Amino acid sequence: MEFAELIKTATVESVLLSGAGLPPVRGTLCITSHHLLLSSRPGGDGAPGTVELWLLIRNVDAVEKRLAGSSGTITLRCKDLKVLQLEIPGMEECLNVASSIEALSSVDSVMMMYPFFYRPQDLRLEAGWHLFPLEQYYQQIATQTSQWRLSGVNRDFAACPTYPPAVIVPAAVDDEALRKAARFRQGGRFPVLSYYHQKNGTVMLRSSQPLTGPNRKRCREDELLLGTVLDEGERGFIIDTRSAQAAKQARMTGGGTEPKSSYPRWKRLHRPLERGRPLQESFIKLVDACNDTSLTMDRWLSRLESCRWLSHVKAALSTACLAAQCLDREEACVLVHGAEGTDTTLLVTALAQLILDPGCRTLAGFQGLLEREWIEAGHPFHLRCARSAYSHARLKQEAPLFLLFLDCVWQLGRQFPFSLEFGERLLLTLFDNAYASSYGTFLGNNEKERCLCKVKESTHSLWAWLNQPEEKRKYLNPLYSRNALVIWPSVEPQSIQLWQGLFFRWIRSSKYLDEAWAEIQRLVENDDTSVEESAGNRRSQSLSDTAAQTENER
Amino acid sequence: MEHITTPKVENVKLLDRYTNRKAANGTLYLTATHLIYVDASAEVRKETWILHHHIATVEKLPLTTAGCPLLIHCKNFHVAHFVIGQERDCHEVYTSLLKLSQPVKPEDLYAFSYNPKMSKDNREIGWKLIDLKVDYQRMGIPNDYWEITDANKDYEVCNTYPPEIVVPRAANKATVIGSSRFRSRGRIPVLSYLYKENNAAICRCSQPLSGFSARCLEDEQMLQAIREANPGSPFMYVVDTRPKLNAIANRAAGKGYENEDNYDNIRFKFIGIENIHVMRNSLQKLREVCETKSPSMSDFLTGLENSGWLRHIKAVMDAGVFLAKAVKDEKASVLVHCSDGWDRTAQVCSLASLLLDPFYRTFKGFMVLIEKEWIAMGHKFSHRCGHLDGDPKEVSPVFTQFIECVWQLMQQFPCTFEFNERFLLEIHDHVYSCQFGNFLGTCHKEREDLKIFEKTHSLWPFLLQKKQEFRNPLYRGFTAYKELQPNTLPFSFQFWCGMYNRFDKGMHPKQCVLDHLLSCMSQKMKLEDNASELENKLPFLDGPLPTEACSFPKMGSASKTPMLNTPQDYEGEPPPVLTNGTAVGDVEVMSDVDQKNKENLSKHQDPHDLKDAFGVLDSEAKDGKPQHP
């Protein structure tokens, strides 16, 4: 396929661009393989030849055209929720531009995507790809306990196509048993270690559902694997992210859940979390309501309620708290799974770690968490983030699980404003890049796919770009001060707010809030530059000793 | 004191709003002013103070095995659920509280017994802290068009207005008197705010007694005089803040609204803000939503919607924005009224002033604004807040709504107010506390009759003393922002957890940015002090500086900077998701306000720095400089 075939009109003069809170500007529109550019004409409002728009075409979620007389207006609804209008002189040009953008934005082949063509000068191709190897995480655990080993059973992705080549498993279970256990779990996702709670040595595992089926099949190796996790007399919790009924019904299609009789030391808790199409629809309805400026207060609240987005936020946080509570308070091991183990499962395990582990709350630690628990763990980004809230295309497997996760992280940051090293801006950037990116980090659905497409060899890593000192500065939370404690969020409805910074990013002006952050920065920096040392001491001293022991520099 | 039959009851349980927590066990005391609960089961002595005047309702619930439950709802949204062992004790506490919370005689209000051991001079100076004349001067009044008149010195124009009012120069005595006869309760059009830049004015009054066809020449002249006091505009707005239907219904009672045909060049407009009864019911519903145990997100949002509360807040804000726009953008004067012109009118006039003039967003300005638009102009605090045993249908959260509108503005414009949320909550507390004289009675005349100025203290100097904790660290100064144009789309209004669930500490952010920033500020101030001190010492010092002087002030107030999150702050309990699905419990029983009240009681200090406070304020007001430390 050649991109040139898809581009019917490469340039159009005198196009009027408006939207996203910017003053309208007229200029020349260019369509390239991956970008839509608009440069203002010399002598126009902007400086001569200024590029006013540099839009990744992959970011376009929906193209709407309206013809009026000899000209037409194209509305571009983007995956980052921005809405742009292009007023194009000439009907034919308008139709051509629209169909070119539609065609280019629908290119679905991973290898055709922009990251494979993006070559920034100041980044090295290999930088950032090996920042957070699982081996490193394993080394940390190995210093504490010898009960776990790093297994290469999935080296060639044979045991589980959606797991990374290396996984952390009980030392007592050999690779052959793992292979057998994998055959008993949907998609081969046998239980692996997700998190080791250093405070008390409990662990959080994740997997997919067991394939018990209607005949209540059993698997000795799977039972053995979970059995070895628990010490003599210990009990563990299985958090199933489906309702008890849904888990039961799954048996009819070959799935199911761990029966009490075969896993006597594991107590099952059902916490249904929304996923798949209903979650995508919730997202669409919310964005719809946010964009409707004609709503009365009653209609707004009613639509906020009926879209159920905030209910999903509350449910996700509650379930993550439950997992964290089992580990930290009940001192019990936890296994989390839903059905496939690639969506709500990861939402819960990642959030629980953020709540428990101060190491995940630094900028680097958070990137590591995303690598381990979302990217390497095989959240199918390519499928889930193929379309955003505006698309008219038929829904396939889109679902905003990752956005829901980011929203929950934002809620944590709001309730604990000093405890996350990164700010809202990082979360927004992650959302944008998950849906359309110049970087390869979120490409594909799993490590196997990324391997086949040579993503790590042929694209740049988002982390390499983010971690450049100049960039990094923008994502830091000026109020951050390391906090070794568990951060238990409140999950009362009164404590959960709509994330305006995301859902209203292009609708409301953030001028006054930005000024407030600048002011905070000013106040805090003055404080820090003058008393950096003493402030550091002062802050850490206030943490209790026992709590401080649980932290460990990552 | 005669109401207190049982001053002390032992073995009283204080239930947590969240059932999973073990109930506290302790002793309940009734004093002349407070109900005090001392938790005996806590390791550290833990006290809950509830001011009698803060009590909105006391309910005896059906007897349980644990004892006799007593449920207290406070006007500041504190809810306390006690269980008293003996039915008889419970009943006595109950009857005492009923009487203590709503005295029959004004003399029994706290303000008349409150004695902070302040000298008479200072007390009097306190009452003179706010001088409305100075504010009018700030607006440039008197000028060619407006004058301050004492036409009402014997309350013959209007007994709910103050003695001095601002009216157009062109309106002579006959016009004023004539107009007063045509306005409900004599509340004639007077100036609320003059926008100096373009001479457009905001004026306020009550509804005209127009019925179906009545006219009044003097009233028409009065409006003409107001319009002509703004020569730049050919017309003026007359805004009726009631829903149209309500206004029409009033015509049958000989009241109503202005007929556009009878008044020259007015543009008449309705802005539908609901009446005090609708607002009271709305708040009641909101209370119920906030008190629901572990509601689902849907329960909460549906309840919030059904309460209508945010719809009413938006209506008030919309009206304030309309006024401000008319004045600033259309350069037109506006006359505002509702029925009596002391509820909705007070809300929207004060909001418009706040939007137009940065002075009202300073400490002093906000006090002036409340004195001017609410206290002086006869908002019936006593009735609306239910200070005394009276008609419950007169109670309505009109002032609460105003305070909330200010809070909503703070959310949108975090750097524009000199004060922070706590200042609003403190004022709100004291509107109900009756500890200070400012909010007693219903109007100036009544406060004179009650001898408020001789017998009680003014709130403002007490607030100024605590200025440091009420300061907004993000305030960018007087000149940084002029007019505010808030977004009034529904999503920009947030539920104010800090007010309606203020005492449910577990719901609030677990780390407090405000405290941290305040401590940053105070640390900076100390550093600067230290630096200058060091500079002064330098010439006398040989060799290395003493380490003591070098080390930074050790934040002696470590305990006062909750930013330094002590484990207890939130390490307490995880949300009890394991047991029943939702909910988080972390309720600090002792409220800050109660703590402060206690301090007020125990430390009868003479605020000797009162005069300093004045000095600071005045210099600030004069040169209008930002007050960055």
Side-chain angles (χ1 to χ4, degrees):
Chain A
M1 186 196 69
E2 287 293 327
F3 288 116
E5 291 164 17
L6 303 176
I7 303 172
K8 293 190 177 151
T9 299
T11 56
V12 189
E13 298 289 335
S14 195
V15 171
L16 187 70
L17 166 76
S18 59
L22 299 165
V25 58
R26 198 173 283 281
T28 305
L29 184 77
C30 299
I31 303 179
T32 72
S33 314
H34 293 103
H35 286 97
L36 203 61
L37 288 91
L38 186 116
S39 47
S40 61
R41 289 180 310 180
D45 291 341
T50 315
V51 177
E52 306 284 351
L53 176 72
W54 189 290
L55 183 77
L56 199 59
I57 291 178
R58 178 80 188 154
N59 190 1
V60 174
D61 203 29
V63 184
E64 290 157 18
K65 46 188 185 284
R66 211 180 57 238
L67 298 172
S70 63
S71 73
T73 304
I74 295 180
T75 303
L76 297 179
R77 299 187 188 274
C78 300
K79 291 175 181 166
D80 62 10
L81 308 183
K82 174 168 62 207
V83 179
L84 298 171
Q85 251 112 31
L86 298 170
E87 215 178 284
I88 297 173
M91 195 155 72
E92 200 184 323
E93 263 86 2
C94 180
L95 291 172
N96 283 344
V97 168
S99 68
S100 307
I101 298 174
E102 261 169 3
L104 288 168
S105 66
S106 319
V107 171
D108 201 42
S109 155
V110 172
M111 309 259 313
M112 298 302 277
M113 286 185 186
Y114 184 57
F116 287 93
F117 302 86
Y118 180 51
R119 292 293 173 267
Q121 291 190 338
D122 38 1
L123 287 182
R124 284 178 310 119
L125 212 46
E126 64 277 15
W129 281 119
H130 307 287
L131 271 181
F132 317 101
L134 192 72
E135 288 78 3
Q136 196 182 318
Y137 187 63
Y138 171 71
Q139 289 310 326
Q140 271 181 46
I141 297 169
T143 61
Q144 316 264 329
T145 168
S146 55
Q147 292 190 321
W148 298 88
R149 69 182 182 94
L150 198 65
S151 163
V153 65
N154 203 38
R155 207 172 294 113
D156 47 5
F157 303 108
C160 170
T162 60
Y163 271 171
V167 287
I168 303 173
V169 295
V173 181
D174 63 22
D175 284 357
E176 192 44 42
L178 292 178
R179 280 187 203 102
K180 285 189 176 147
R183 272 177 238 132
F184 184 63
R185 293 275 170 178
Q186 179 169 2
R189 295 176 70 92
F190 55 90
V192 295
L193 182 134
S194 150
Y195 170 67
Y196 179 79
H197 194 40
Q198 295 181 357
K199 182 179 158 190
N200 55 20
T202 54
V203 295
M204 179 159 60
L205 308 170
R206 55 176 159 74
S207 68
S208 60
Q209 64 178 340
L211 300 174
T212 51
N215 302 324
R216 293 176 184 267
K217 261 198 325 227
R218 294 178 62 167
C219 169
R220 207 174 53 82
E221 287 76 11
D222 190 78
E223 290 167 22
L224 176 82
L225 197 165
L226 287 180
T228 55
V229 171
L230 303 178
D231 282 339
E232 197 63 37
E234 265 182 6
R235 287 169 59 85
F237 291 96
I238 295 174
I239 297 177
D240 193 325
T241 61
R242 300 164 296 176
S243 67
Q245 202 199 354
K248 211 169 174 181
Q249 272 173 0
R251 290 220 307 263
M252 304 317 293
T253 50
T257 189
E258 294 80 358
K260 187 95 212 152
S261 52
S262 340
Y263 301 84
R265 290 153 72 201
W266 291 88
K267 182 176 164 56
R268 228 170 50 226
L269 302 167
H270 290 276
R271 289 293 181 275
L273 296 181
E274 204 57 88
R275 66 200 80 206
R277 176 167 295 199
L279 191 65
Q280 179 73 9
E281 276 164 2
S282 169
F283 176 38
I284 292 171
K285 278 188 198 161
L286 173 62
V287 170
D288 229 31
C290 292
N291 280 298
D292 190 344
T293 50
S294 69
L295 295 180
T296 62
M297 181 61 82
D298 288 4
R299 281 300 293 152
W300 159 247
L301 288 173
S302 144
R303 285 178 63 176
L304 185 61
E305 187 273 317
S306 65
C307 81
R308 301 196 48 79
W309 181 261
L310 290 176
S311 304
H312 302 323
V313 172
K314 178 172 154 63
L317 279 172
S318 304
T319 309
C321 280
L322 172 68
Q325 195 183 353
C326 290
L327 290 161
D328 191 69
R329 294 301 161 101
E330 305 290 322
E331 308 203 325
C333 293
V334 177
L335 167 67
V336 183
H337 71 70
E340 293 96 336
T342 54
D343 294 294
T344 50
T345 305
L346 305 181
L347 177 65
V348 172
T349 57
L351 277 176
Q353 292 181 54
L354 211 54
I355 290 169
L356 290 171
D357 183 359
C360 297
R361 301 181 211 135
T362 65
L363 184 60
F366 189 61
Q367 291 173 12
L369 180 74
L370 293 177
E371 272 291 334
R372 277 192 294 113
E373 290 300 289
W374 286 92
I375 298 168
E376 289 184 8
H379 175 66
F381 278 100
H382 184 75
L383 290 173
R384 299 289 182 259
C385 302
R387 295 285 171 184
S388 177
Y390 293 126
S391 173
H392 304 303
R394 200 170 53 83
L395 286 181
K396 283 181 252 166
Q397 297 196 48
E398 292 82 359
L401 265 306
F402 188 61
L403 171 61
L404 185 57
F405 168 71
L406 295 175
D407 196 332
C408 292
V409 177
W410 180 82
Q411 307 284 348
L412 282 173
R414 202 191 72 81
Q415 294 194 27
F416 295 90
F418 310 134
S419 296
L420 304 182
E421 195 190 16
F422 46 91
E424 180 179 55
R425 187 155 172 189
L426 178 77
L427 303 177
L428 295 174
T429 301
L430 290 171
F431 167 70
D432 294 349
N433 279 277
Y435 279 85
S437 180
S438 305
Y439 302 91
T441 299
F442 294 109
L443 285 184
N445 290 309
N446 48 56
E447 288 295 286
K448 186 180 176 187
E449 283 187 26
R450 279 185 283 273
C451 239
L452 285 171
C453 299
K454 298 200 169 18
V455 166
K456 291 184 187 178
E457 293 78 17
S458 323
T459 75
H460 285 275
S461 157
L462 175 66
W463 311 132
W465 175 64
L466 280 181
N467 291 330
Q468 300 173 100
E470 267 310 289
E471 274 308 306
K472 189 173 164 180
R473 231 168 29 90
K474 300 179 198 162
Y475 300 103
L476 294 175
N477 169 12
L479 292 169
Y480 176 66
S481 106
R482 197 180 166 81
N483 168 10
L485 302 174
V486 178
I487 53 173
W488 299 113
S490 160
V491 293
E492 292 290 321
Q494 285 97 321
S495 311
I496 291 170
Q497 284 186 4
L498 181 64
W499 184 8
Q500 292 207 1
L502 185 112
F503 294 105
F504 292 97
R505 179 160 42 148
W506 313 103
I507 296 167
R508 58 152 203 202
S509 153
S510 63
K511 176 172 178 272
Y512 297 99
L513 301 179
D514 294 343
E515 283 169 4
W517 276 107
E519 206 60 29
I520 288 176
Q521 189 105 38
R522 199 185 59 78
L523 266 171
V524 176
E525 261 169 17
N526 271 335
D527 186 44
D528 282 354
T529 49
S530 52
V531 284
E532 199 155 4
E533 263 316 294
S534 84
N537 292 339
R538 187 164 52 91
R539 287 173 191 182
S540 52
Q541 269 166 14
S542 73
L543 304 168
S544 80
D545 292 338
T546 48
Q549 279 170 10
T550 66
E551 74 175 317
N552 189 305
E553 202 69 44
R554 288 261 155 95
Chain B
M1 287 303 263
E2 73 268 28
H3 300 308
I4 303 173
T5 47
T6 316
K8 180 181 177 186
V9 186
E10 285 180 343
N11 267 322
V12 176
K13 288 193 178 67
L14 177 60
L15 299 190
D16 206 291
R17 284 269 302 282
Y18 304 95
T19 45
N20 56 305
R21 284 285 188 87
K22 208 171 151 260
N25 199 350
T27 310
L28 195 116
Y29 300 91
L30 285 187
T31 73
T33 54
H34 289 81
L35 173 155
I36 304 165
Y37 177 77
V38 181
D39 184 353
S41 55
E43 285 157 29
V44 206
R45 186 181 165 90
K46 212 166 155 191
E47 299 175 2
T48 306
W49 287 54
I50 296 174
L51 189 67
H52 296 324
H53 290 310
H54 271 161
I55 296 176
T57 59
V58 196
E59 290 164 75
K60 259 175 36 174
L61 303 182
L63 203 67
T64 66
T65 47
C68 190
L70 190 70
L71 185 60
I72 298 178
H73 279 95
C74 295
K75 293 168 178 174
N76 60 355
F77 306 103
H78 190 184
V79 181
H81 194 160
F82 294 107
V83 178
I84 298 174
Q86 298 291 321
E87 217 268 319
R88 205 177 54 92
D89 287 341
C90 183
H91 187 74
E92 292 201 343
V93 171
Y94 170 76
T95 41
S96 297
L97 286 178
L98 279 186
K99 286 181 186 137
L100 291 165
S101 62
Q102 284 205 316
V104 178
K105 292 177 291 182
E107 305 86 80
D108 289 340
L109 293 169
Y110 187 18
F112 292 100
S113 60
Y114 175 59
N115 181 8
K117 299 263 168 28
M118 186 194 265
S119 74
K120 183 165 172 286
D121 283 354
N122 272 339
R123 201 187 54 77
E124 281 168 3
I125 292 172
W127 277 114
K128 289 183 185 125
L129 181 61
I130 305 293
D131 182 355
L132 297 185
K133 264 195 182 154
V134 176
D135 195 45
Y136 292 123
Q137 272 165 23
R138 213 180 47 86
M139 298 179 208
I141 296 170
N143 61 16
D144 291 350
Y145 300 110
W146 297 94
E147 62 178 356
I148 306 174
T149 156
D150 62 355
N152 197 37
K153 66 175 181 297
D154 301 317
Y155 302 107
E156 57 189 26
V157 176
C158 169
N159 61 3
T160 57
Y161 271 179
E164 287 176 332
I165 48 183
V166 179
V167 294
R169 253 183 217 287
N172 59 28
K173 181 99 183 190
T175 307
V176 167
I177 299 288
S179 173
S180 79
R181 306 226 164 93
F182 190 64
R183 291 280 164 181
S184 177
R185 298 174 204 270
R187 294 174 67 91
I188 55 159
V190 296
L191 182 116
S192 152
Y193 179 69
L194 179 66
Y195 188 63
K196 257 199 298 189
E197 264 94 314
N198 61 17
N199 277 320
I202 296 174
C203 297
R204 53 182 290 179
C205 60
S206 61
Q207 62 184 332
L209 304 177
S210 50
F212 291 102
S213 60
R215 293 181 63 163
C216 168
L217 189 62
E218 290 89 346
D219 194 65
E220 289 161 26
Q221 284 169 348
M222 182 63 135
L223 264 66
Q224 187 184 351
I226 292 173
R227 179 171 52 79
E228 286 172 354
N230 177 16
S233 172
F235 73 96
M236 72 183 275
Y237 279 108
V238 175
V239 171
D240 189 328
T241 56
R242 296 169 295 182
K244 189 173 180 182
L245 267 177
N246 300 23
I248 290 173
N250 263 294
R251 286 164 67 177
K255 299 169 189 170
Y257 54 94
E258 290 80 357
N259 182 337
E260 256 176 314
D261 299 338
N262 299 343
Y263 294 84
D264 288 338
N265 300 310
I266 67 163
R267 290 189 192 169
F268 186 83
K269 188 179 158 59
F270 285 112
I271 297 182
I273 303 176
E274 299 289 351
N275 66 25
I276 57 167
H277 310 294
V278 174
M279 299 309 191
R280 179 179 58 247
N281 293 335
S282 172
L283 182 66
Q284 183 51 36
K285 284 186 195 156
L286 183 73
R287 266 178 185 279
E288 284 159 18
V289 174
C290 295
E291 286 171 30
T292 309
K293 265 182 202 161
S294 312
S296 71
M297 189 50 87
S298 287
D299 293 342
F300 177 73
L301 288 174
T302 308
L304 189 61
E305 181 199 338
N306 290 341
S307 77
W309 184 255
L310 285 178
R311 171 161 45 96
H312 301 315
I313 296 293
K314 175 169 153 55
V316 174
M317 188 74 92
D318 279 331
V321 170
F322 175 83
L323 259 57
K325 276 192 179 150
V327 164
K328 182 178 171 276
D329 299 341
E330 299 190 65
K331 304 179 177 63
S333 291
V334 190
L335 175 66
V336 189
H337 67 74
C338 44
S339 299
D340 293 312
W342 50 42
D343 292 314
R344 291 167 270 207
T345 302
Q347 288 177 327
V348 304
C349 287
S350 46
L351 255 185
S353 296
L354 207 58
L355 293 172
L356 287 168
D357 193 332
F359 171 66
Y360 296 120
R361 296 172 225 140
T362 64
F363 278 108
K364 172 109 181 195
F366 195 61
M367 297 172 183
V368 168
L369 188 67
I370 291 175
E371 278 286 344
K372 190 157 67 87
E373 299 300 325
W374 293 85
I375 298 175
M377 294 305 290
H379 173 69
K380 305 198 292 176
F381 279 106
S382 177
H383 295 175
R384 296 293 176 258
C385 303
H387 288 162
L388 295 166
D389 186 23
D391 183 359
K393 287 215 157 56
E394 280 285 301
V395 175
S396 188
V398 178
F399 188 73
T400 305
Q401 290 180 319
F402 165 66
I403 291 286
E404 174 165 344
C405 285
V406 180
W407 179 83
Q408 299 283 359
L409 289 174
M410 284 179 170
Q411 304 313 297
Q412 286 196 42
F413 305 99
C415 305
T416 59
F417 288 84
E418 190 183 12
F419 44 87
N420 61 38
E421 177 184 13
R422 286 177 199 159
F423 187 61
L424 297 181
L425 293 172
E426 183 87 355
I427 291 175
H428 188 260
D429 272 337
H430 281 301
V431 164
Y432 291 97
S433 75
C434 301
Q435 189 176 353
F436 298 93
N438 309 57
F439 305 105
L440 302 191
T442 56
C443 58
H444 193 82
K445 180 172 184 296
E446 203 177 312
R447 276 186 291 277
E448 272 182 355
D449 295 345
L450 287 170
K451 300 212 176 345
I452 295 291
F453 308 103
E454 292 92 65
K455 290 182 173 170
T456 74
H457 294 265
S458 167
L459 169 66
W460 310 125
F462 285 82
L463 293 186
L464 284 179
Q465 271 191 292
K466 296 199 280 180
K467 202 171 164 182
Q468 287 316 318
E469 64 183 277
F470 295 139
R471 196 177 277 287
N472 171 16
L474 302 182
Y475 183 51
R476 291 181 62 202
F478 190 74
T479 48
Y481 304 89
K482 284 198 72 191
E483 299 85 4
L484 304 182
Q485 292 178 319
N487 186 340
T488 57
L489 287 174
F491 74 81
S492 20
F493 293 86
Q494 295 177 23
F495 167 73
W496 190 6
C497 189
M499 171 73 103
Y500 306 105
N501 285 107
R502 178 173 155 202
F503 295 88
D504 300 302
K505 288 274 164 57
M507 289 181 189
H508 302 173
K510 307 297 192 313
Q511 296 174 321
C512 181
V513 175
L514 177 60
D515 282 328
H516 176 53
L517 295 179
L518 283 173
S519 89
C520 285
M521 272 176 90
S522 75
Q523 183 159 16
K524 245 170 67 191
M525 279 194 281
K526 278 186 198 164
L527 276 173
E528 277 158 18
D529 287 354
N530 261 21
S532 60
E533 213 172 285
L534 277 176
E535 267 168 35
N536 293 339
K537 281 183 189 168
L538 270 177
F540 309 105
L541 282 173
D542 289 323
L545 293 167
T547 44
E548 272 241 323
C550 276
S551 70
F552 295 101
K554 204 53 190 170
M555 286 311 293
S557 51
S559 60
K560 274 194 178 169
T561 51
M563 172 271 150
L564 313 171
N565 30 75
T566 51
Q568 298 91 300
D569 276 356
Y570 49 84
E571 176 71 341
E573 284 294 316
V577 275
L578 192 59
T579 45
N580 57 5
T582 49
V584 160
D586 185 1
V587 180
E588 193 58 47
V589 208
M590 179 80 185
S591 82
D592 293 344
V593 195
D594 295 334
Q595 178 75 49
K596 278 166 204 153
N597 287 338
K598 200 181 100 199
E599 279 165 10
N600 282 343
L601 275 181
S602 54
K603 278 191 265 163
H604 296 297
Q605 274 181 355
D606 202 338
H608 53 268
D609 54 346
L610 202 55
K611 281 177 187 154
D612 298 345
F614 288 39
V616 172
L617 264 184
D618 287 342
S619 64
E620 244 175 85
K622 251 176 247 150
D623 50 33
K625 280 267 171 59
Q627 257 259 314
H628 267 310

